[in-house]
Amino acid sequence: MGAGHAHKLYRRGDSPVHALPPHTKLAAVLAFVVVVVSTPREAVWAFGGYALLLALVAAKARIPAGFLLRRLLIEIPFVAFAVLMPFVVPGERTEVLGISLSVPGLWGAWNVLAKGTLGVAASVLLAATTELRELLLGLQRLKLPPLLVQIASFMIRYGDVITDEMRRMSIARRSRGFEARGVRHWGVLAKSAGALFIRSYERGERVHLAMVSRGYAGTMPVIDEVTATRSQWVLAASLPFTALLICLLGWTLR
């Protein structure tokens, strides 16, 4: 099983974080996110501790700060949502720089920004140190339903194929003088989307028949059996365990 190519988030390296088995990193990131979400929003200092933990992991993995910050731009929609909360959430009001803002809205915005940013940063670090093929093997090792793993594998493998198909269709439209300039051109775009769907569906049918003819019976063969030693599990668990200690301290001092 594999994806066959590296993704843009992955940064090749030989750090201890890169060397960890994928299922240990997946489990560690999931546990870390659960701890972050469970932390009371009033424990502001605890979120600073989580950010420091991720910074240490990034340094250990030799991931540049600029690389990480650029990938964090994906959370801009959440930032926009959080910025609106102090203006629209009802409740007690307070003055900030002469602007009346909702106190519950401010806490809600902080909650979304802090926990969302930390979750995205942890995911980016996971993607930056683990190839897609390894992630799929890790999901399989963690006993995720095989059908879901196969669906994810095909999505990754054929995502670029469908994207190239869209690009060729766009080039064909432009070569014939077409440019989408308004609502009246939506019909052409809709027909292109329909044609792309039909081509993708037919491709899927052909791939399935080819797989069945080669002995496919609902499961994919596992070429590489990924295992982890006790020391590797301990190293991976150090991130969520330290975060848990910070969380417990945050609840105690709340």
Side-chain angles (χ1 to χ4, degrees), residues 9-183:
L9 290 177
Y10 179 69
R11 187 178 179 87
R12 193 172 302 279
D14 57 356
S15 71
V17 182
H18 285 80
L20 283 175
H23 54 290
T24 63
K25 289 186 279 188
L26 282 166
V29 169
L30 176 60
F32 174 80
V33 171
V34 170
V35 171
V36 170
V37 172
S38 303
T39 305
R41 63 187 184 184
E42 294 80 7
V44 177
W45 61 270
F47 295 102
Y50 299 149
L52 180 59
L53 283 176
L54 292 180
L56 291 175
V57 173
K60 195 72 173 177
R62 305 185 186 95
I63 303 297
F67 179 89
L68 183 60
L69 292 174
R70 286 194 300 272
R71 289 346 185 241
L72 287 177
L73 293 177
I74 194 174
E75 69 164 341
I76 287 179
F78 297 98
V79 174
F81 172 75
V83 169
L84 292 175
M85 292 182 68
F87 298 95
V88 299
V89 174
E92 180 186 352
R93 313 293 293 187
T94 186
E95 292 285 336
V96 178
L97 299 177
I99 303 175
S100 177
L101 300 175
S102 166
V103 174
L106 287 171
W107 277 115
W110 160 251
N111 195 49
V112 171
L113 284 176
K115 296 181 179 180
T117 300
L118 289 169
V120 172
S123 302
V124 169
L125 283 175
L126 173 64
T129 57
T130 316
E131 293 187 88
L132 281 175
R133 178 176 178 276
E134 293 180 347
L135 284 174
L136 294 173
L137 291 173
L139 291 173
Q140 190 171 50
R141 184 70 179 177
L142 293 175
K143 305 302 181 184
L144 196 75
L147 183 59
L148 294 181
V149 177
Q150 291 181 47
I151 292 174
S153 176
F154 285 118
M155 286 177 59
I156 293 169
R157 183 181 295 275
Y158 289 99
D160 289 343
V161 176
I162 303 303
T163 301
D164 287 340
E165 190 76 28
M166 291 175 58
R167 181 180 57 81
R168 288 194 294 270
M169 293 174 68
S170 176
I171 293 174
R173 289 195 303 268
R174 291 199 303 270
S175 68
R176 289 163 175 80
F178 173 81
E179 289 188 20
R181 297 177 178 175
V183 177

Side-chain angles (χ1 to χ4, degrees), residues 212-254:
V212 171
S213 68
R214 289 163 174 78
Y216 175 74
T219 58
M220 299 289 286
V222 179
I223 299 175
D224 299 322
E225 186 66 25
V226 182
T227 58
T229 63
R230 179 177 299 180
S231 60
Q232 288 175 322
W233 273 112
V234 170
L235 180 59
S238 61
L239 172 66
F241 181 74
T242 307
L244 179 60
L245 293 179
I246 296 174
C247 179
L248 292 175
L249 187 58
W251 277 104
T252 302
L253 300 178
R254 186 183 180 187

